[in-house]
Amino acid sequence: MRILGIETSCDETGIAIYDDQDGLLAHQLYSQVKLHADYGGVVPELASRDHSRKIISLIRQTLKEANCTKDDIDGVAYTAGPGLVGALLVGASVGRSLAYAWDKPAVAVHHMEGHLLAPMLEENKPDFPFLALLVSGGHTQMVRVDGIGRYTLLGESVDDAAGEAFDKTAKLLGLDYPGGPRLAKMAEMGDSSRFTFPRPMTNKPGLDFSFSGLKTFAANTIRDNSVDGVCDPQTQADIARAFEDAVVDTLAIKCKRALKETGLKRLVIAGGVSANSHLRIELEKLMVGRGGKVFYPRHEFCADNGAMIAYAGMQRLKANQTVGLEISATPRWPMDTLPAV
Ligand code: KG4
Ligand code: ZN
């Protein structure tokens, strides 16, 4: 069986074809980063328009790359939420219409389930059950995963997501959008011992996160260490390093706590921030120390992409969890309401 996957929830147009026997056959990604850079963040209306401009040609290219025609496709999966409603509607209406025209079933995929299952596209994939740390621009969640659709939310951010905190702090440091990877690069030059940022919510029990205070802490540190509002490059790097250390350490402390509480031995990290090498190294260390194992997607599938949507869509298609003729777009959609497979 083969499925076409469509992702348009934010600022990447991602298209992929996944075969349940042969795996991923083709994938294409168009990033709108340049379009939004001038505005310092994603402009929803521009995102929707750009998805509309690119989506059809990307679908054509992906079919060509996979050497497929519409007759080889058994279903169409599209991201139905969570995300920006206008952006979601582009992928949902194209996906639903293609499925109708091709007389194939349509599957409405949950974007965070896509991220969660992205490590399943790798050779080294986790068995169930596992603990998942989902760290993206919009979400930070700790989830117990007992199977596909068997998700228990153990904790989440009460304010900013980890990626959002990276982006906002990067902006304070004068870095262009998207700041997360740029801040991480800058932190490589930083001295860990110069500033110490708090590890929010780690001295209270529980698995929730709070990252908005770190951005304020960074703003104050920049103010106190600048001349006429400008920090020298080494100070900027030291602040970036202290910020990254604090986020990584906080995530690692919460993972350790969740592993202890659940007794799980496998940890998945996924979402844009899972590309952060410092985070990967710390979580590897944590799991080696506990006799467990950590799993993550390859770098290009950490951030938004069509491959993870095609994979998640295939699992739902095989379970006959398809949707009707409606164009489904759900900007807010708790993942633990998904049905089990
Ligand atoms: O999963 P994703 O592509 O989009 C959402 O679903 O939100 O995640 C994007 C987020 C952005 O906030 C970006 O700055 C962050 O992931 N990110 C990083 C790194 N690469 C991407 N944050 C820290 N370090 C990185 N290397
Ligand atoms: Zn995402």
Side-chain angles (χ1 to χ4, degrees):
M1 271 215 292
R2 280 181 190 179
I3 196 163
L4 175 76
I6 300 175
E7 157 62 31
T8 64
S9 69
C10 190
D11 59 346
E12 325 272 348
T13 319
I15 309 290
I17 295 171
Y18 181 83
D19 182 299
D20 67 339
Q21 299 298 316
D22 300 331
L24 190 63
L25 299 184
H27 65 100
Q28 294 278 337
L29 188 74
Y30 174 76
S31 169
Q32 303 178 351
V33 159
K34 281 202 191 103
L35 176 73
H36 300 291
D38 286 348
Y39 305 92
V42 179
V43 183
E45 178 60 25
L46 294 184
S48 317
R49 292 184 201 182
D50 215 28
H51 285 306
S52 306
R53 268 192 292 268
K54 299 291 179 339
I55 191 165
I56 299 295
S57 66
L58 276 178
I59 292 173
R60 284 212 175 94
Q61 278 178 47
T62 313
L63 283 165
K64 200 170 159 201
E65 187 191 330
N67 213 2
C68 283
T69 69
K70 63 181 174 54
D71 302 324
D72 303 311
I73 302 292
D74 302 293
V76 180
Y78 62 85
T79 302
L84 301 170
V85 70
L88 288 169
L89 274 168
V90 177
S93 36
V94 169
R96 181 57 265 186
S97 309
L98 269 184
Y100 179 74
W102 294 352
D103 198 19
K104 301 287 154 70
V107 183
V109 175
H110 191 290
H111 180 81
M112 295 311 290
E113 179 174 68
H115 277 303
L116 174 74
L117 298 177
M120 301 296 190
L121 289 161
E122 306 307 321
E123 233 165 74
N124 175 29
K125 43 173 138 324
D127 291 325
F128 298 113
F130 56 78
L131 181 71
L133 174 67
L134 301 180
V135 271
S136 73
H139 294 81
T140 301
Q141 295 182 326
M142 190 78 81
V143 187
R144 183 192 163 99
V145 181
D146 287 290
I148 291 170
R150 296 175 62 205
Y151 309 133
T152 313
L153 184 66
L154 304 176
E156 64 184 333
S157 180
V158 297
D159 42 51
D160 291 354
E164 190 179 357
F166 262 94
D167 294 340
K168 287 180 174 171
T169 303
K171 209 171 185 176
L172 293 171
L173 287 166
L175 299 172
D176 284 342
Y177 164 84
R182 291 191 165 94
L183 186 151
K185 185 110 196 66
M186 186 182 246
E188 284 172 21
M189 305 298 151
D191 173 359
S192 244
S193 62
R194 179 152 170 219
F195 302 109
T196 305
F197 278 39
R199 274 56 177 159
M201 294 182 79
T202 52
N203 49 12
K204 279 200 256 173
L207 294 168
D208 282 340
F209 305 90
S210 165
F211 290 113
S212 70
L214 285 181
K215 165 195 71 198
T216 314
F217 202 89
N220 293 340
T221 312
I222 293 168
R223 186 199 57 212
D224 296 345
N225 292 276
S226 58
V227 180
D228 297 332
V230 182
C231 287
D232 64 80
Q234 188 57 51
T235 301
Q236 281 190 315
D238 295 343
I239 293 172
R241 181 61 195 257
F243 168 83
E244 190 187 54
D245 283 350
V247 175
V248 168
D249 207 24
T250 302
L251 293 172
I253 291 169
K254 295 287 165 129
C255 284
K256 191 171 171 186
R257 196 176 283 176
L259 291 162
K260 210 166 154 194
E261 281 178 17
T262 57
L264 294 168
K265 289 280 181 206
R266 287 176 287 267
L267 172 67
V268 158
I269 38 167
V273 185
S274 68
N276 185 281
S277 11
H278 186 173
L279 179 64
R280 288 185 174 209
I281 292 167
E282 283 308 308
L283 295 180
E284 291 264 5
K285 267 199 244 161
L286 171 70
M287 293 315 282
V288 168
R290 300 181 65 85
K293 210 163 173 330
V294 58
F295 301 84
Y296 27 65
R298 74 190 80 162
H299 258 85
E300 61 181 321
F301 294 158
C302 287
D304 295 347
N305 64 84
M308 67 184 196
I309 301 305
Y311 180 85
M314 176 58 85
Q315 311 316 308
R316 300 281 173 189
L317 177 64
K318 286 205 287 194
N320 280 322
Q321 292 178 357
T322 56
V323 285
L325 284 176
E326 73 276 14
I327 292 166
S328 175
T330 316
R332 288 182 163 272
W333 185 6
M335 196 171 65
D336 53 6
T337 60
L338 292 176
V341 163

